Coordinates of all heavy atoms in Angstrom, one line a residue:
M942 N -14.3 -2.6 2.0 CA -15.0 -1.4 2.5 C -14.4 -0.1 1.8 O -13.2 0.0 1.6 CB -14.8 -1.4 4.1 CG -15.4 -0.1 4.7 SD -15.0 -0.1 6.4 CE -16.5 0.2 7.0
G943 N -15.2 0.8 1.4 CA -14.8 2.0 0.8 C -15.8 3.1 1.0 O -16.9 2.9 1.3
A944 N -15.4 4.3 0.7 CA -16.3 5.4 0.7 C -16.4 6.0 -0.7 O -15.5 5.9 -1.6 CB -15.6 6.5 1.6
K945 N -17.6 6.5 -1.1 CA -17.9 7.0 -2.4 C -17.9 8.5 -2.3 O -18.6 9.1 -1.4 CB -19.2 6.4 -2.9 CG -19.1 4.9 -3.1 CD -20.2 4.4 -3.9 CE -20.1 2.9 -4.0 NZ -19.9 2.4 -5.2
L946 N -17.2 9.1 -3.3 CA -17.2 10.5 -3.3 C -17.7 10.9 -4.8 O -17.4 10.2 -5.7 CB -15.9 11.1 -3.1 CG -15.2 10.8 -1.8 CD1 -13.7 11.4 -1.8 CD2 -16.0 11.6 -0.7
R947 N -18.4 12.0 -4.8 CA -18.8 12.5 -6.2 C -17.9 13.7 -6.5 O -17.9 14.7 -5.7 CB -20.2 12.9 -6.2 CG -20.9 13.3 -7.4 CD -22.3 13.4 -7.5 NE -23.0 12.1 -7.2 CZ -23.2 11.2 -8.2 NH1 -22.7 11.4 -9.3 NH2 -23.8 10.1 -7.9
L948 N -17.4 13.7 -7.7 CA -16.5 14.9 -8.1 C -16.8 15.0 -9.6 O -16.6 14.0 -10.4 CB -15.0 14.5 -7.9 CG -14.0 15.5 -8.3 CD1 -14.2 16.9 -7.5 CD2 -12.6 15.1 -8.2
D949 N -17.2 16.2 -10.0 CA -17.5 16.5 -11.4 C -18.5 15.4 -12.0 O -18.2 15.0 -13.2 CB -16.2 16.6 -12.2 CG -15.3 17.7 -11.7 OD1 -15.9 18.6 -11.2 OD2 -14.0 17.6 -12.0
G950 N -19.5 15.0 -11.3 CA -20.5 14.0 -11.9 C -20.0 12.6 -11.8 O -20.7 11.7 -12.1
R951 N -18.7 12.3 -11.4 CA -18.2 10.9 -11.3 C -18.3 10.5 -9.9 O -18.2 11.3 -9.0 CB -16.7 10.9 -11.8 CG -16.5 11.3 -13.3 CD -15.1 11.0 -13.7 NE -14.2 11.4 -12.7 CZ -13.4 12.5 -12.6 NH1 -13.7 13.5 -13.5 NH2 -12.6 12.9 -11.6
V952 N -18.5 9.2 -9.7 CA -18.4 8.6 -8.4 C -17.1 7.9 -8.4 O -16.8 7.0 -9.1 CB -19.7 7.6 -8.2 CG1 -19.5 7.0 -6.8 CG2 -21.0 8.4 -8.3
E953 N -16.3 8.2 -7.3 CA -15.1 7.6 -7.1 C -15.2 6.8 -5.8 O -15.7 7.3 -4.8 CB -14.0 8.6 -7.0 CG -13.8 9.4 -8.3 CD -12.7 10.4 -8.2 OE1 -11.8 10.3 -7.3 OE2 -12.7 11.3 -9.1
T954 N -14.6 5.5 -5.7 CA -14.6 4.7 -4.6 C -13.2 4.8 -4.0 O -12.3 4.6 -4.7 CB -15.0 3.3 -4.8 OG1 -16.3 3.3 -5.4 CG2 -14.9 2.4 -3.6
L955 N -13.1 5.2 -2.8 CA -11.8 5.3 -2.1 C -11.7 4.1 -1.2 O -12.6 3.9 -0.4 CB -11.8 6.6 -1.2 CG -12.0 7.9 -2.0 CD1 -11.9 9.1 -1.0 CD2 -10.9 8.1 -3.0
A956 N -10.6 3.4 -1.3 CA -10.4 2.2 -0.5 C -10.0 2.6 0.9 O -9.3 3.7 1.0 CB -9.3 1.3 -1.1
V957 N -10.4 1.9 1.9 CA -10.0 2.2 3.3 C -8.9 1.3 3.5 O -8.9 0.0 3.4 CB -11.1 1.9 4.2 CG1 -10.7 2.0 5.6 CG2 -12.3 2.8 4.0
S958 N -7.7 1.9 3.8 CA -6.6 1.1 4.0 C -6.6 0.3 5.4 O -7.4 0.7 6.2 CB -5.3 2.0 4.1 OG -5.3 2.8 5.3
S959 N -5.8 -0.7 5.5 CA -5.7 -1.4 6.8 C -5.3 -0.5 7.9 O -5.7 -0.7 9.1 CB -4.8 -2.6 6.6 OG -3.5 -2.2 6.3
V960 N -4.5 0.5 7.7 CA -4.0 1.4 8.7 C -5.2 2.2 9.2 O -5.5 2.4 10.4 CB -3.0 2.3 8.2 CG1 -2.6 3.4 9.3 CG2 -1.7 1.7 7.9
E961 N -6.1 2.7 8.3 CA -7.2 3.5 8.6 C -8.3 2.7 9.3 O -9.1 3.1 10.1 CB -7.8 4.2 7.3 CG -6.9 5.2 6.8 CD -7.4 5.6 5.4 OE1 -7.7 4.7 4.5 OE2 -7.4 6.8 5.2
A962 N -8.3 1.4 9.0 CA -9.3 0.5 9.6 C -8.8 0.0 11.0 O -9.6 -0.8 11.6 CB -9.4 -0.7 8.7
G963 N -7.6 0.6 11.4 CA -7.3 0.3 12.9 C -6.3 -0.8 12.9 O -6.0 -1.2 14.1
R964 N -5.8 -1.5 11.9 CA -4.9 -2.5 11.9 C -3.5 -2.0 12.0 O -3.1 -1.2 11.2 CB -5.0 -3.5 10.7 CG -6.2 -4.3 10.8 CD -6.3 -5.3 9.6 NE -5.0 -5.8 9.3 CZ -4.6 -6.2 8.1 NH1 -5.4 -6.0 7.0 NH2 -3.4 -6.7 7.8
D965 N -2.7 -2.3 13.0 CA -1.3 -2.0 13.1 C -0.5 -3.1 12.7 O 0.8 -3.0 12.9 CB -0.9 -1.5 14.5 CG -1.6 -0.2 14.9 OD1 -1.7 0.6 13.9 OD2 -1.8 0.1 16.0
D966 N -0.9 -4.3 12.4 CA -0.1 -5.4 12.1 C 0.2 -5.6 10.7 O 0.6 -6.7 10.3 CB -0.9 -6.7 12.6 CG -2.2 -6.9 11.9 OD1 -2.8 -5.9 11.4 OD2 -2.7 -8.0 12.0
I967 N 0.1 -4.6 9.8 CA 0.4 -4.8 8.5 C 1.9 -4.9 8.3 O 2.8 -4.3 9.1 CB -0.1 -3.7 7.5 CG1 0.5 -2.3 7.9 CG2 -1.6 -3.6 7.6 CD1 0.0 -1.2 6.9
G968 N 2.4 -5.6 7.2 CA 3.8 -5.7 7.0 C 4.5 -4.5 6.3 O 3.8 -3.6 5.8
G969 N 5.7 -4.4 6.3 CA 6.5 -3.3 5.8 C 6.2 -3.1 4.2 O 6.1 -2.1 3.8
V970 N 6.0 -4.3 3.5 CA 5.8 -4.2 2.1 C 4.5 -3.6 1.8 O 4.3 -2.7 1.0 CB 6.0 -5.6 1.4 CG1 5.5 -5.5 0.0 CG2 7.4 -6.1 1.5
E971 N 3.4 -4.0 2.6 CA 2.1 -3.5 2.4 C 2.0 -2.0 2.8 O 1.4 -1.2 2.1 CB 1.1 -4.3 3.2 CG -0.3 -3.9 3.1 CD -1.3 -4.7 3.8 OE1 -0.9 -5.8 4.2 OE2 -2.5 -4.3 4.0
L972 N 2.7 -1.7 3.9 CA 2.8 -0.2 4.3 C 3.5 0.6 3.2 O 2.9 1.7 3.0 CB 3.5 -0.1 5.6 CG 3.7 1.3 6.2 CD1 2.3 1.9 6.4 CD2 4.4 1.2 7.5
L973 N 4.5 0.2 2.6 CA 5.2 1.0 1.6 C 4.2 1.1 0.4 O 4.2 2.2 -0.2 CB 6.5 0.2 1.0 CG 7.6 0.3 2.2 CD1 8.8 -0.6 1.6 CD2 8.0 1.6 2.5
A974 N 3.5 0.0 0.1 CA 2.5 0.3 -1.1 C 1.4 1.2 -0.7 O 1.0 2.1 -1.6 CB 1.9 -1.2 -1.3
E975 N 1.0 1.3 0.6 CA 0.0 2.2 1.0 C 0.6 3.6 1.0 O -0.1 4.6 0.6 CB -0.6 1.8 2.4 CG -1.5 0.7 2.3 CD -2.2 0.5 3.6 OE1 -2.7 1.5 4.2 OE2 -2.5 -0.7 4.0
I976 N 1.9 3.8 1.3 CA 2.4 5.1 1.3 C 2.5 5.6 -0.2 O 2.1 6.8 -0.5 CB 3.8 5.1 2.0 CG1 3.7 4.9 3.5 CG2 4.7 6.3 1.6 CD1 4.9 4.6 4.2
R977 N 2.9 4.7 -1.1 CA 3.0 5.1 -2.5 C 1.6 5.5 -3.0 O 1.3 6.6 -3.7 CB 3.5 4.0 -3.4 CG 4.9 3.7 -3.3 CD 5.4 2.7 -4.3 NE 6.7 2.2 -3.9 CZ 6.9 1.1 -3.1 NH1 5.8 0.4 -2.8 NH2 8.1 0.8 -2.8
E978 N 0.6 4.8 -2.6 CA -0.8 5.1 -3.0 C -1.3 6.4 -2.4 O -2.0 7.3 -3.1 CB -1.8 3.9 -2.6 CG -3.2 4.3 -2.8 CD -4.2 3.2 -2.3 OE1 -3.7 2.2 -1.7 OE2 -5.4 3.4 -2.4
A979 N -1.0 6.6 -1.1 CA -1.3 7.8 -0.5 C -0.7 9.1 -1.1 O -1.3 10.1 -1.3 CB -0.9 7.8 1.1
H980 N 0.6 8.9 -1.5 CA 1.3 10.0 -2.1 C 0.7 10.3 -3.5 O 0.4 11.5 -3.9 CB 2.7 9.6 -2.4 CG 3.6 10.7 -3.0 ND1 3.9 10.7 -4.3 CD2 4.0 11.9 -2.5 CE1 4.5 11.8 -4.6 NE2 4.7 12.6 -3.4
R981 N 0.4 9.3 -4.3 CA -0.4 9.5 -5.5 C -1.6 10.1 -5.3 O -2.0 11.0 -6.1 CB -0.5 8.1 -6.2 CG -1.1 8.2 -7.6 CD -1.5 6.9 -8.2 NE -2.5 6.3 -7.5 CZ -2.5 5.1 -6.9 NH1 -1.4 4.3 -6.9 NH2 -3.5 4.6 -6.3
D982 N -2.5 9.7 -4.4 CA -3.7 10.4 -4.1 C -3.5 11.9 -3.7 O -4.3 12.7 -4.1 CB -4.5 9.7 -2.9 CG -4.9 8.3 -3.3 OD1 -5.0 7.9 -4.5 OD2 -5.2 7.6 -2.3
W983 N -2.5 12.2 -2.9 CA -2.2 13.6 -2.6 C -1.9 14.4 -3.8 O -2.4 15.4 -4.0 CB -1.1 13.6 -1.6 CG -0.7 14.9 -1.1 CD1 -1.6 16.0 -0.9 CD2 0.6 15.3 -0.6 NE1 -0.8 17.1 -0.4 CE2 0.5 16.7 -0.2 CE3 1.8 14.7 -0.5 CZ2 1.6 17.4 0.4 CZ3 2.9 15.4 0.0 CH2 2.8 16.7 0.5
I984 N -1.1 13.8 -4.7 CA -0.8 14.5 -6.0 C -2.0 14.8 -6.8 O -2.2 15.8 -7.4 CB 0.3 13.8 -6.7 CG1 1.6 13.7 -5.9 CG2 0.6 14.4 -8.1 CD1 2.3 15.0 -5.7
N985 N -2.8 13.8 -6.9 CA -4.1 13.8 -7.7 C -5.0 14.9 -7.1 O -5.7 15.7 -7.8 CB -4.8 12.5 -7.7 CG -4.1 11.5 -8.7 OD1 -3.4 11.9 -9.6 ND2 -4.3 10.2 -8.5
A986 N -5.1 15.0 -5.7 CA -5.9 16.0 -5.1 C -5.4 17.4 -5.5 O -6.2 18.3 -5.7 CB -5.9 15.8 -3.6
Q987 N -4.1 17.6 -5.6 CA -3.5 18.9 -5.9 C -3.9 19.2 -7.4 O -4.3 20.4 -7.6 CB -2.0 18.9 -5.6 CG -1.6 18.8 -4.2 CD -0.1 18.6 -4.0 OE1 0.6 18.4 -4.9 NE2 0.3 18.6 -2.9
Y988 N -3.9 18.2 -8.2 CA -4.3 18.4 -9.6 C -5.7 18.8 -9.7 O -6.0 19.8 -10.4 CB -4.0 17.1 -10.3 CG -4.5 17.3 -11.8 CD1 -3.8 17.9 -12.8 CD2 -5.7 16.6 -12.1 CE1 -4.4 18.1 -14.1 CE2 -6.2 16.8 -13.4 CZ -5.5 17.5 -14.4 OH -6.0 17.6 -15.6
H989 N -6.6 18.2 -9.0 CA -8.0 18.6 -9.0 C -8.1 19.9 -8.5 O -9.1 20.6 -9.0 CB -8.8 17.5 -8.1 CG -9.0 16.2 -8.8 ND1 -9.8 16.1 -10.0 CD2 -8.6 15.0 -8.5 CE1 -9.8 14.8 -10.3 NE2 -9.0 14.2 -9.4
F990 N -7.4 20.4 -7.5 CA -7.5 21.7 -7.1 C -7.2 22.7 -8.2 O -7.8 23.8 -8.4 CB -6.6 22.0 -5.9 CG -6.5 23.5 -5.4 CD1 -7.6 24.0 -4.7 CD2 -5.5 24.3 -5.8 CE1 -7.5 25.3 -4.3 CE2 -5.4 25.6 -5.3 CZ -6.4 26.1 -4.7
E991 N -6.1 22.4 -9.0 CA -5.7 23.3 -10.1 C -6.7 23.4 -11.1 O -6.8 24.4 -11.8 CB -4.3 22.8 -10.6 CG -3.2 22.9 -9.6 CD -1.9 22.2 -10.2 OE1 -2.0 21.6 -11.2 OE2 -0.9 22.2 -9.3
Q992 N -7.5 22.3 -11.3 CA -8.6 22.3 -12.3 C -10.0 22.7 -11.8 O -10.8 22.8 -12.6 CB -8.7 20.9 -12.8 CG -7.4 20.3 -13.4 CD -6.6 21.1 -14.5 OE1 -7.4 21.5 -15.4 NE2 -5.4 21.3 -14.4
A993 N -10.1 23.0 -10.5 CA -11.4 23.3 -9.9 C -11.9 24.6 -10.4 O -11.1 25.7 -10.7 CB -11.3 23.4 -8.4
V994 N -13.2 24.7 -10.7 CA -13.9 25.9 -11.2 C -15.1 26.1 -10.3 O -15.9 25.2 -10.1 CB -14.4 25.7 -12.6 CG1 -15.2 27.0 -13.0 CG2 -13.1 25.5 -13.6
G995 N -15.2 27.3 -9.7 CA -16.3 27.6 -8.8 C -16.0 27.3 -7.4 O -15.1 26.4 -7.1
S996 N -16.7 27.9 -6.5 CA -16.3 27.8 -5.0 C -16.7 26.4 -4.5 O -15.9 26.0 -3.6 CB -17.1 28.9 -4.3 OG -18.6 28.7 -4.4
D997 N -17.6 25.7 -5.0 CA -18.0 24.4 -4.4 C -16.8 23.5 -4.8 O -16.4 22.7 -3.9 CB -19.3 23.9 -4.9 CG -20.5 24.6 -4.2 OD1 -20.3 25.2 -3.2 OD2 -21.6 24.5 -4.9
Q998 N -16.3 23.4 -6.0 CA -15.3 22.5 -6.4 C -13.9 22.9 -5.7 O -13.2 22.0 -5.3 CB -15.0 22.6 -8.0 CG -16.1 22.0 -8.7 CD -15.8 21.9 -10.2 OE1 -14.8 22.3 -10.6 NE2 -16.9 21.4 -11.0
I999 N -13.7 24.2 -5.4 CA -12.5 24.6 -4.8 C -12.5 24.1 -3.3 O -11.5 23.7 -2.8 CB -12.3 26.1 -4.9 CG1 -12.0 26.6 -6.3 CG2 -11.2 26.6 -4.0 CD1 -11.9 28.0 -6.7
D1000 N -13.7 24.4 -2.7 CA -13.9 23.9 -1.3 C -13.6 22.4 -1.2 O -12.9 22.0 -0.3 CB -15.2 24.3 -0.8 CG -15.4 25.7 -0.5 OD1 -14.4 26.5 -0.5 OD2 -16.6 26.1 -0.3
Y1001 N -14.2 21.6 -2.1 CA -14.0 20.2 -2.1 C -12.5 19.8 -2.3 O -12.0 18.9 -1.7 CB -14.8 19.5 -3.1 CG -14.6 18.0 -3.2 CD1 -15.2 17.2 -2.3 CD2 -13.8 17.6 -4.2 CE1 -14.9 15.8 -2.4 CE2 -13.5 16.2 -4.2 CZ -14.2 15.3 -3.3 OH -13.9 14.0 -3.4
A1002 N -11.9 20.5 -3.2 CA -10.5 20.3 -3.6 C -9.6 20.5 -2.4 O -8.6 19.7 -2.1 CB -10.1 21.0 -4.8
V1003 N -9.8 21.6 -1.7 CA -9.0 21.9 -0.5 C -9.2 20.8 0.6 O -8.3 20.3 1.1 CB -9.4 23.3 0.0 CG1 -8.8 23.5 1.4 CG2 -9.0 24.4 -1.0
Y1004 N -10.5 20.5 0.8 CA -10.7 19.4 1.7 C -10.0 18.0 1.4 O -9.4 17.4 2.1 CB -12.3 19.1 1.8 CG -12.6 17.9 2.6 CD1 -12.6 17.9 4.0 CD2 -13.0 16.6 2.0 CE1 -12.9 16.8 4.7 CE2 -13.2 15.6 2.7 CZ -13.3 15.6 4.1 OH -13.5 14.5 4.8
A1005 N -10.1 17.7 0.0 CA -9.4 16.5 -0.4 C -7.9 16.6 -0.3 O -7.3 15.6 0.2 CB -9.7 16.3 -1.9
I1006 N -7.3 17.8 -0.6 CA -5.9 17.9 -0.3 C -5.5 17.8 1.1 O -4.6 17.0 1.5 CB -5.4 19.3 -0.8 CG1 -5.4 19.4 -2.3 CG2 -4.0 19.7 -0.3 CD1 -5.1 20.8 -2.8
E1007 N -6.2 18.4 2.0 CA -5.9 18.2 3.5 C -6.1 16.8 3.9 O -5.2 16.3 4.7 CB -6.9 19.1 4.2 CG -6.6 20.6 4.1 CD -7.5 21.5 4.8 OE1 -8.6 21.1 5.3 OE2 -7.3 22.8 4.8
A1008 N -7.1 16.1 3.5 CA -7.4 14.8 3.9 C -6.3 13.8 3.4 O -5.7 12.9 4.2 CB -8.7 14.3 3.4
T1009 N -5.9 14.0 2.1 CA -4.9 13.0 1.5 C -3.5 13.4 2.1 O -2.7 12.4 2.4 CB -4.9 13.1 0.0 OG1 -4.7 14.5 -0.4 CG2 -6.2 12.6 -0.6
Q1010 N -3.3 14.6 2.4 CA -2.0 14.9 3.0 C -1.9 14.4 4.4 O -0.7 13.8 4.8 CB -1.7 16.5 3.1 CG -0.4 16.9 3.7 CD -0.2 18.4 3.7 OE1 -1.1 19.1 3.1 NE2 0.8 18.9 4.2
R1011 N -2.9 14.5 5.1 CA -2.9 13.9 6.5 C -2.7 12.4 6.5 O -2.0 11.8 7.3 CB -4.2 14.2 7.3 CG -4.2 15.7 7.7 CD -5.5 16.1 8.5 NE -5.6 17.5 8.6 CZ -5.2 18.2 9.7 NH1 -4.5 17.6 10.6 NH2 -5.4 19.5 9.7
R1012 N -3.3 11.7 5.6 CA -3.2 10.3 5.5 C -1.8 9.9 5.1 O -1.1 9.0 5.7 CB -4.1 9.7 4.4 CG -3.9 8.2 4.1 CD -5.0 7.6 3.2 NE -4.7 6.2 3.1 CZ -4.3 5.6 2.0 NH1 -4.2 6.4 0.9 NH2 -4.1 4.3 1.9
Y1013 N -1.2 10.7 4.2 CA 0.2 10.4 3.8 C 1.1 10.6 4.9 O 2.0 9.8 5.2 CB 0.5 11.4 2.6 CG 2.0 11.2 2.1 CD1 2.4 10.1 1.6 CD2 2.8 12.4 2.1 CE1 3.7 10.0 1.1 CE2 4.1 12.2 1.5 CZ 4.5 11.1 1.0 OH 5.8 11.0 0.6
E1014 N 0.9 11.7 5.7 CA 1.8 12.0 6.8 C 1.6 10.9 8.0 O 2.6 10.5 8.6 CB 1.5 13.4 7.4 CG 1.9 14.4 6.5 CD 1.4 15.8 6.9 OE1 0.6 15.9 7.8 OE2 1.9 16.8 6.4
M1015 N 0.4 10.4 8.1 CA 0.1 9.4 9.2 C 0.9 8.1 8.7 O 1.5 7.4 9.6 CB -1.4 9.1 9.2 CG -1.7 8.0 10.1 SD -3.4 7.4 9.9 CE -3.3 6.7 8.2
L1016 N 0.8 7.7 7.5 CA 1.5 6.5 7.0 C 3.0 6.6 7.2 O 3.7 5.7 7.5 CB 1.1 6.2 5.6 CG -0.4 5.7 5.4 CD1 -0.7 5.7 4.0 CD2 -0.5 4.4 6.1
L1017 N 3.6 7.8 6.8 CA 5.0 8.1 7.0 C 5.4 8.0 8.5 O 6.5 7.4 8.7 CB 5.4 9.5 6.4 CG 5.4 9.6 5.0 CD1 5.7 11.0 4.5 CD2 6.3 8.6 4.3
R1018 N 4.6 8.5 9.4 CA 4.9 8.3 10.8 C 4.9 6.9 11.2 O 5.7 6.5 12.0 CB 4.0 9.2 11.6 CG 4.2 10.7 11.7 CD 3.4 11.4 12.7 NE 1.9 11.2 12.6 CZ 1.2 12.0 11.7 NH1 1.7 13.0 11.0 NH2 -0.1 11.7 11.7
Q1019 N 3.9 6.1 10.8 CA 3.9 4.8 11.1 C 5.0 4.0 10.6 O 5.6 3.2 11.3 CB 2.6 4.1 10.6 CG 2.5 2.7 10.9 CD 1.1 2.0 10.6 OE1 0.4 2.6 9.9 NE2 1.0 0.8 11.0
A1020 N 5.5 4.3 9.3 CA 6.7 3.6 8.8 C 7.9 3.9 9.5 O 8.7 3.1 9.8 CB 6.8 4.1 7.3
K1021 N 7.9 5.1 10.0 CA 9.1 5.6 10.8 C 9.1 4.8 12.1 O 10.1 4.4 12.6 CB 9.1 7.1 11.1 CG 10.3 7.6 11.8 CD 10.2 9.1 11.9 CE 11.4 9.6 12.6 NZ 11.5 11.1 12.7
R1022 N 8.0 4.8 12.8 CA 7.8 4.1 14.1 C 8.1 2.6 14.0 O 8.7 2.0 14.8 CB 6.4 4.3 14.6 CG 6.1 3.8 16.0 CD 4.7 4.2 16.5 NE 3.7 3.6 15.7 CZ 2.8 4.4 15.0 NH1 3.0 5.8 15.0 NH2 1.9 3.9 14.2
L1023 N 7.8 2.0 12.8 CA 8.1 0.6 12.6 C 9.4 0.4 12.1 O 9.9 -0.8 12.0 CB 7.1 0.0 11.6 CG 5.5 -0.1 12.1 CD1 4.7 -0.6 11.0 CD2 5.5 -1.0 13.3
G1024 N 10.2 1.4 11.7 CA 11.5 1.3 11.2 C 11.5 0.7 9.7 O 12.5 0.1 9.3
T1025 N 10.4 1.0 9.0 CA 10.3 0.4 7.7 C 11.2 1.3 6.8 O 11.1 2.5 6.8 CB 8.9 0.5 7.2 OG1 8.1 -0.3 8.1 CG2 8.6 -0.1 5.7
A1026 N 11.9 0.6 5.9 CA 12.7 1.3 4.9 C 12.7 0.7 3.6 O 12.4 -0.5 3.4 CB 14.2 1.4 5.5
S1027 N 13.0 1.5 2.6 CA 13.0 1.0 1.2 C 14.2 1.6 0.5 O 14.4 2.8 0.5 CB 11.7 1.3 0.6 OG 11.8 1.0 -0.9
P1028 N 15.0 0.8 -0.2 CA 16.2 1.3 -0.9 C 15.8 2.3 -2.0 O 16.6 3.2 -2.2 CB 16.8 0.1 -1.4 CG 16.2 -1.1 -0.9 CD 14.9 -0.7 -0.2
E1029 N 14.6 2.2 -2.5 CA 14.2 3.0 -3.6 C 14.0 4.5 -3.1 O 13.8 5.4 -3.8 CB 13.1 2.5 -4.4 CG 11.8 2.4 -3.6 CD 10.7 1.6 -4.3 OE1 11.0 0.5 -4.7 OE2 9.7 2.2 -4.4
W1030 N 13.8 4.7 -1.7 CA 13.5 6.0 -1.2 C 14.8 6.8 -1.0 O 14.7 7.9 -0.5 CB 12.9 5.8 0.2 CG 11.5 5.3 0.1 CD1 10.9 4.7 -0.9 CD2 10.5 5.4 1.2 NE1 9.6 4.4 -0.7 CE2 9.4 4.8 0.5 CE3 10.5 5.9 2.4 CZ2 8.1 4.8 1.3 CZ3 9.3 5.8 3.1 CH2 8.2 5.2 2.5
K1031 N 15.9 6.3 -1.3 CA 17.1 7.0 -1.0 C 17.2 8.4 -1.6 O 17.7 9.4 -1.1 CB 18.3 6.2 -1.4 CG 18.6 5.1 -0.5 CD 19.8 4.4 -0.8 CE 20.1 3.2 0.2 NZ 21.2 2.4 -0.1
G1032 N 16.5 8.5 -2.8 CA 16.4 9.8 -3.5 C 15.3 10.7 -3.1 O 15.1 11.8 -3.6
G1033 N 14.4 10.2 -2.2 CA 13.3 11.1 -1.8 C 12.0 10.3 -1.8 O 12.0 9.1 -1.3
I1034 N 11.0 10.9 -2.3 CA 9.6 10.3 -2.2 C 9.5 9.1 -3.1 O 10.0 9.1 -4.2 CB 8.7 11.4 -2.8 CG1 8.7 12.6 -1.8 CG2 7.3 10.8 -2.9 CD1 7.8 13.8 -2.3
P1035 N 8.8 8.1 -2.7 CA 8.7 6.8 -3.4 C 7.9 7.0 -4.7 O 7.0 8.0 -4.8 CB 7.9 6.0 -2.5 CG 7.2 6.9 -1.6 CD 8.1 8.0 -1.5
R1036 N 8.2 6.4 -5.8 CA 7.6 6.5 -7.2 C 6.9 5.2 -7.4 O 7.2 4.2 -7.0 CB 8.6 6.8 -8.2 CG 9.4 8.0 -7.9 CD 8.8 9.2 -8.6 NE 9.5 10.4 -8.4 CZ 9.0 11.4 -7.8 NH1 7.7 11.5 -7.5 NH2 9.7 12.5 -7.6

């Protein structure tokens, strides 16, 4: 299941994560992968904002930043609640 978005004439399909689909039973490894993906999506949304031209593109980019940031924060809260940890996070944000 996914949502399709149109940006600069391209159609992008966004995957719906198991967390967004209402599943709380995902494992720690899968959750960490979703957190990495959400962080990457957030960074990409910020890049699109920097490249936006015109008020419609800027409005869309702001919306995308807010949405991706909220997803990232939601996943981090879930990881904290589940006690999920990764040794590679010791230096900060996952890569």
Side-chain angles (χ1 to χ4, degrees):
M942 175 185 230
K945 293 192 185 248
L946 296 176
R947 184 170 295 282
L948 179 64
D949 296 333
R951 297 185 319 262
V952 174
E953 298 180 18
T954 302
L955 302 177
V957 176
S958 73
S959 56
V960 174
E961 293 166 313
R964 284 183 43 211
D965 287 333
D966 61 339
I967 63 173
V970 173
E971 186 177 342
L972 180 58
L973 292 174
E975 288 193 37
I976 290 171
R977 283 186 201 96
E978 178 185 358
H980 182 258
R981 186 186 66 240
D982 291 344
W983 182 30
I984 296 299
N985 288 336
Q987 292 171 357
Y988 173 78
H989 284 294
F990 174 76
E991 293 169 3
Q992 304 303 315
V994 178
S996 63
D997 287 342
Q998 287 184 6
I999 292 170
D1000 289 345
Y1001 175 82
V1003 168
Y1004 171 77
I1006 289 172
E1007 290 175 354
T1009 56
Q1010 181 178 358
R1011 287 180 191 267
R1012 177 175 181 248
Y1013 179 59
E1014 290 171 349
M1015 174 196 65
L1016 291 169
L1017 289 177
R1018 281 192 303 275
Q1019 183 175 7
K1021 184 176 180 180
R1022 187 172 58 248
L1023 295 174
T1025 303
S1027 174
E1029 64 191 58
W1030 286 19
K1031 290 184 179 181
I1034 296 173
R1036 301 264 179 238

